[in-house]
Amino acid sequence: MPDLIWIKNGRIIDPANGRDEVGDIYANEGRIVSSLSAEMKKRAEVIDAEGLLVCPGLVDIHVHFREPGQTHKETIQTGSHAAAAGGFTSVICMPNTSPPADNAGTIQFIQDAIKREAVIRVYPTGCITLGMNGESLAPIGSLRRAGVVAITDDGECVQNNELMRRAVEYASMFALPVMDHCQDSRMTQGSVMNEGIMSTRLGLRG
């Protein structure tokens, strides 16, 4: 990264400071500064951002980086590069890896890969239940100590209310958020949708 950067003519959106205007942004040694001297401007890398947005890094709290076990789909390296290209500087990855991230060893594997390959901030989550099977709780305390920022069974919704209540209680003991995909699978068992009728109602054409 160059020591001096001058981003010109971009639409600056800064919610923290209530700023939404076209203007210039300056950076000195990786930090945003209010201005650059005339001499510094001569040496700065200039980026013309006309027609573009200039804003703080975006955050995605639900990504699938698939490592370990499904690296033919995505890896921490490829996923983090794709996120960076889209303006995302922090992401939270789901635990539906293979094996599922339901123990400290798997979380440590992910953490090592993050340190080695990620180009943005990548935060792992751990499973609510072992194997994401919805039958018994994962070791929430161990997951917390291993560095997860939340627990979730992602799309495998916990259907046992008592088990979910205990998960929330344990999570609160460790100040861990619970990210729940709220869905009652009994309401969709054997269900179908007539695609033709739905397409007609939506005004879609095949």
Side-chain angles (χ1 to χ4, degrees):
M1 177 183 294
D3 290 341
L4 299 170
I5 298 176
W6 179 7
I7 303 174
K8 302 176 64 174
N9 306 319
R11 179 182 173 186
I12 301 166
I13 298 179
D14 182 2
N17 293 297
R19 190 177 181 189
D20 185 351
E21 62 186 2
V22 174
D24 295 355
I25 293 286
Y26 308 101
N28 186 355
E29 296 184 348
R31 292 183 176 274
I32 301 295
V33 294
S34 59
S35 64
L36 295 177
S37 67
E39 178 59 32
M40 286 179 171
K41 285 183 178 180
K42 292 179 182 179
R43 295 187 286 111
E45 176 179 331
V46 178
I47 300 171
D48 188 352
E50 183 176 0
L52 302 177
L53 298 179
V54 182
C55 59
L58 304 175
V59 178
D60 192 335
I61 65 170
H62 189 122
V63 303
H64 299 272
F65 281 2
R66 305 298 186 182
E67 188 175 0
Q70 302 179 55
T71 53
H72 60 289
K73 296 181 179 180
E74 190 73 274
T75 66
I76 288 170
Q77 182 183 48
T78 61
S80 66
H81 275 83
F88 290 84
T89 56
S90 298
V91 300
I92 297 177
C93 53
M94 296 296 102
N96 59 336
T97 51
S98 183
D102 62 2
N103 63 82
T106 300
I107 297 300
Q108 187 59 58
F109 177 93
I110 295 170
Q111 296 279 39
D112 291 342
I114 290 170
K115 292 177 182 177
R116 186 173 62 249
E117 299 175 353
V119 296
I120 60 169
R121 299 179 186 89
V122 178
Y123 301 102
T125 60
C127 298
I128 295 175
T129 63
L130 290 174
M132 297 174 66
N133 291 323
E135 296 177 358
S136 56
L137 289 179
I140 295 173
S142 296
L143 292 172
R144 181 70 178 91
R145 288 188 290 273
V148 304
V149 297
I151 56 171
T152 176
D153 272 2
D154 193 33
E156 301 296 332
C157 319
V158 178
Q159 299 299 305
N160 184 314
N161 291 336
E162 174 61 21
L163 188 67
M164 191 63 177
R165 182 182 68 82
R166 288 195 285 122
V168 171
E169 289 175 346
Y170 276 114
S172 67
M173 293 170 56
F174 298 100
L176 274 178
V178 176
M179 302 171 67
D180 187 31
H181 185 124
C182 300
Q183 179 177 317
D184 188 340
S185 63
R186 294 171 299 180
M187 298 180 69
T188 56
Q189 289 176 357
S191 299
V192 296
M193 181 179 75
N194 189 312
E195 183 178 350
I197 292 175
M198 183 61 68
S199 297
T200 301
R201 289 176 178 174
L202 293 176
L204 304 176
R205 294 182 179 180

